[in-house]
């Protein structure tokens, strides 16, 4: 009689398969760890996009970004998306007089417009046609056309709205947010380290072409308008990301150059420290200098400590500690930003309520006396410190995140492969940050009010920042040294006006007391 077949040991086979898989995964992880160690020793970093270990180069990234800018400019000089939904053929614009005057298409790129202007302007230049009023008039008209079409903002406004009725309107279109915020926040001296502030970049993006909604033909179906808006938003986002990358790489190049003499041995430790201190004191003399120094100094120092900690301390303990400090600081900055935002919103709401009450009283026939007008002005003025605090909370977070990205590029830059030299570069950045932070704290203590500005200071700075920017928008030459002196004069004038207003209110109150009940 045949014996029954024994079942196969499926359980044993299953366990063998699991063991083999685990061993395979473990071997793979071990190999990846080995490759990572060797790559780090060679000074390489992990490229998430390429998914490989590479020697990172600041200079190479800058070249890539520059070529990207050229490519984008070339692609954007075509018809593109123009707010009318058309993507082929000549763009539809509100008025084409300036284009016709230069003899170019509405799709002409910057180079074509420039060549056309110089070609026509040479023919009717006043020096070539002395006493010819007609030629002079045409020359001025060509200059006006070129001034509008050569500027992306004024060209977009002209395409959308046609010729403005006044020069002031065109000046508003040429309003440069970078000039305004440089005067407002005094960021010129620190620009090599932090670039142009995010708040200025955002304002610039929103002003160009009227933002995502600007220039869209309202007669188009809603679905088509939405599609165009989404495309414009995508283009704006990509442009902002490219601008931020360029900002970070440029700052990395500046910091690398700043510490290079110390790395090369051209400056010893004492000389380098003295140079950092001297630069810090110059920054401290400017508007908000102590605020910049403290924000930049802390960020530079802690980023360097993190890199040095992971590279030079057992088990990277120093790096983990520095990273914890960095994360704690970032959390605190975010909380301050939230608090400042709430405070600014509350102040704005109170001012709006005051304005609505005054408007209602005037509609009911109540006279607007100088005393009441001054009271309303004071209510609006009281909101300025809250809004400035909110703007500075945004700036501080921007500085913090920018320097973090910049330092990573500096420390990983393959222009130095030797580990000891890289550590020396990080040590130099730490010294720079330490001295900036120390001078910033000293400056904060000695400045009146701890460096905080009152309402009169803020109003004066706003006034001069606006005036300075409008002057440049109108093509006037303005010295970079002018703003601070103008701000001091504007503050003095404001104080004089306030005193006169107080005297007037006293006279009104005295007059009211004399009037019989």
């Amino acid at each position: 009689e045949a014996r029954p077949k024994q079942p196969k040991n499926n359980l044993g086979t299953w366990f063998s398969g699991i063991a083999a898989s685990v061993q395979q995964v473990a071997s793979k992880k071990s190999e990846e760890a080995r490759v990572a160690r060797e790559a780090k020793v060679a000074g390489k970093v992990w490229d998430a996009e390429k998914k490989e270990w590479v020697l990172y180069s600041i200079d190479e990234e800058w070249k890539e970004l520059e070529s990207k800018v050229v490519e984008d400019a070339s692609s954007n000089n075509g018809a593109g998306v123009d707010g009318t939904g058309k993507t082929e053929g000549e763009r539809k614009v509100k008025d084409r007089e300036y284009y016709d005057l230069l003899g170019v298409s509405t799709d002409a790129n910057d180079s074509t417009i420039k060549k056309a202007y110089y070609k026509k302007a040479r023919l009717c230049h006043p020096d070539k046609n002395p006493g010819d009023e007609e030629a002079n008039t045409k020359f001025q008209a060509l200059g006006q056309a070129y001034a509008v079409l050569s500027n992306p903002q004024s060209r977009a406004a002209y395409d959308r709205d046609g010729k403005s009725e006044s020069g002031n309107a065109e000046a508003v279109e040429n309003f440069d947010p970078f000039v305004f915020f440089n005067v407002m926040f005094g960021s010129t001296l620190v620009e090599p380290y932090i670039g142009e502030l995010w708040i200025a970049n955002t304002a610039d993006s929103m002003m160009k072409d009227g933002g995502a909604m600007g220039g869209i033909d309202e007669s188009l179906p809603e679905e088509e308008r939405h599609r165009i808006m989404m495309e414009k938003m995508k283009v704006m986002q990509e442009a902002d990301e490219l601008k931020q990358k360029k900002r970070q790489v440029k700052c990395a190049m500046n910091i690398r150059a700043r510490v290079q003499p110390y790395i090369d041995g051209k400056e010893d430790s004492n000389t380098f420290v003295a140079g950092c201190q001297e630069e810090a004191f110059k920054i401290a003399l400017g508007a908000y200098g102590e605020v910049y120094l403290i924000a930049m100094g802390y960020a530079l120092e802690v980023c360097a400590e993190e890199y040095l900690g992971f590279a030079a301390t057992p088990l990277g303990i120093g790096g983990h500690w520095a990273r914890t400090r960095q994360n704690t600081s970032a959390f605190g900055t975010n909380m301050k930003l939230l608090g400042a935002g709430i405070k600014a919103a509350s102040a704005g709401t109170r001012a709006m309520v005051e304005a609505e009450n005054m408007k209602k009283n005037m509609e009911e026939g109540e006279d607007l006396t100088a005393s009441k007008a001054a009271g309303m002005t004071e209510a609006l003025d009281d909101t300025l410190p809250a809004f400035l605090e909110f703007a500075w909370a945004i700036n501080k977070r921007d500085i913090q995140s920018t320097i973090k990205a910049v330092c990573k590029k500096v420390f990983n830059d393959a222009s130095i492969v030797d580990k000891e030299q890289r550590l020396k570069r990080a040590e130099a950045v730490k010294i720079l940050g330490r001295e900036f932070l120390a001078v910033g704290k000293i400056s904060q203590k000695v400045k009146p009010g701890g460096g905080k500005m009152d309402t009169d200071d803020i109003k004066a700075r706003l006034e001069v920042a606006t005036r300075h920017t409008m002057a440049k928008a109108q093509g006037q030459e303005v010295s970079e040294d002018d703003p601070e002196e103008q701000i001091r004069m504007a503050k003095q004038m404001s104080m004089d006006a306030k005193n006169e207003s107080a005297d007037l209110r006293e006279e009104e109150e005295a007059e009211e007391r004399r009037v019989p009940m």
Side-chain angles (χ1 to χ4, degrees), residues 413-451:
D413 179 45
S415 61
I416 295 178
V417 177
D418 181 71
K419 181 180 179 180
E420 292 304 317
Q421 290 290 88
R422 286 196 175 193
L423 292 177
K424 190 174 182 180
R425 181 162 59 188
E427 184 64 35
V429 172
K430 181 181 176 181
I431 293 171
L432 181 66
R434 183 190 70 203
E435 298 307 321
F436 276 16
L437 180 59
V439 173
K441 288 181 176 179
I442 293 171
S443 178
Q444 190 178 53
K445 288 179 181 178
V446 300
K447 278 191 175 182

Side-chain angles (χ1 to χ4, degrees), residues 184-456:
M184 186 64 206
F185 295 116
S187 57
T188 304
L189 289 176
V190 297
E191 198 168 294
Y193 298 105
I194 62 174
E196 289 171 330
L197 294 170
W198 175 87
I199 198 170
N201 276 308
T202 302
D204 182 57
S205 297
M206 294 302 295
M207 289 180 71
K208 282 182 177 177
D209 302 334
M213 293 298 295
I216 299 179
D217 190 344
E218 294 296 327
S219 65
L220 292 172
E222 183 177 351
E223 188 175 313
E224 180 67 7
R225 282 188 282 124
H226 178 73
R227 181 188 68 79
I228 295 172
M229 183 187 72
M230 294 304 293
E231 287 186 15
K232 291 187 71 176
M233 287 181 65
K234 182 181 178 182
V235 171
M236 287 172 62
Q237 183 178 356
E238 290 174 351
D240 287 344
E241 289 174 357
L242 180 60
K243 194 182 296 183
Q244 179 66 3
K245 286 181 179 179
K246 284 194 68 179
R247 173 192 181 188
Q248 292 172 0
V249 176
K250 186 64 177 175
C251 291
M253 294 169 74
N254 292 335
I255 292 178
R256 183 183 64 178
R258 178 68 183 83
V259 302
Q260 196 62 41
Y262 177 76
I263 299 168
D264 293 339
K266 295 178 181 179
E267 292 183 6
D268 60 22
S269 179
N270 291 335
T271 304
F272 182 68
V273 169
C276 293
Q277 291 174 348
E278 183 181 355
E279 182 179 6
F281 279 113
K282 285 182 181 178
I283 293 172
L285 293 174
Y288 306 108
E290 72 287 347
V291 181
Y292 280 118
L293 286 170
I294 291 172
M296 294 191 308
Y298 181 84
L300 288 168
E301 186 178 34
V302 78
C303 284
E305 286 179 349
E306 180 183 356
Y307 179 82
L308 291 167
F310 280 118
T313 60
L315 302 177
I317 293 174
H320 287 294
W321 171 241
R323 183 173 291 175
T324 300
R325 287 178 58 204
Q326 193 176 58
N327 291 338
T328 302
S329 176
F331 178 77
T333 300
N334 288 336
M335 290 299 99
K336 287 180 180 177
L337 176 60
L338 178 61
I342 293 172
K343 192 185 293 185
S346 300
T349 301
R350 288 195 298 272
M352 287 178 64
V353 170
E354 289 281 347
E356 287 296 325
N357 289 338
M358 178 172 284
K359 180 182 177 182
K360 183 178 179 181
N361 292 337
M362 289 177 64
E363 288 174 349
E364 291 175 354
E366 186 175 320
D367 293 334
L368 178 62
T369 63
S371 176
K372 291 175 181 177
M376 184 64 228
T377 301
E378 288 178 5
L380 291 173
D381 288 348
D382 288 342
T383 67
L384 292 178
F387 282 109
L388 184 66
E389 183 182 348
F390 181 50
W392 263 114
I394 294 173
N395 287 342
K396 287 179 182 178
R397 190 175 72 166
D398 174 39
I399 291 170
Q400 195 175 56
S401 60
T402 298
I403 286 183
K404 182 179 179 180
V406 168
C407 283
K408 185 177 180 181
K409 294 179 186 297
V410 172
F411 300 149
N412 291 328
D413 179 45
S415 61
I416 295 178
V417 177
D418 181 71
K419 181 180 179 180
E420 292 304 317
Q421 290 290 88
R422 286 196 175 193
L423 292 177
K424 190 174 182 180
R425 181 162 59 188
E427 184 64 35
V429 172
K430 181 181 176 181
I431 293 171
L432 181 66
R434 183 190 70 203
E435 298 307 321
F436 276 16
L437 180 59
V439 173
K441 288 181 176 179
I442 293 171
S443 178
Q444 190 178 53
K445 288 179 181 178
V446 300
K447 278 191 175 182
K452 291 185 178 179
M453 294 194 174
D454 59 23
T455 300
D456 290 332

Side-chain angles (χ1 to χ4, degrees), residues 378 381 455-456 459 492-505:
E378 288 178 5
D381 288 348
T455 300
D456 290 332
K459 285 177 65 179
Q492 184 60 51
M493 291 172 64
S494 175
M495 292 174 65
D496 293 343
K498 187 178 288 187
N499 291 335
E500 290 178 8
S501 178
D503 292 341
L504 183 59
R505 271 188 284 177

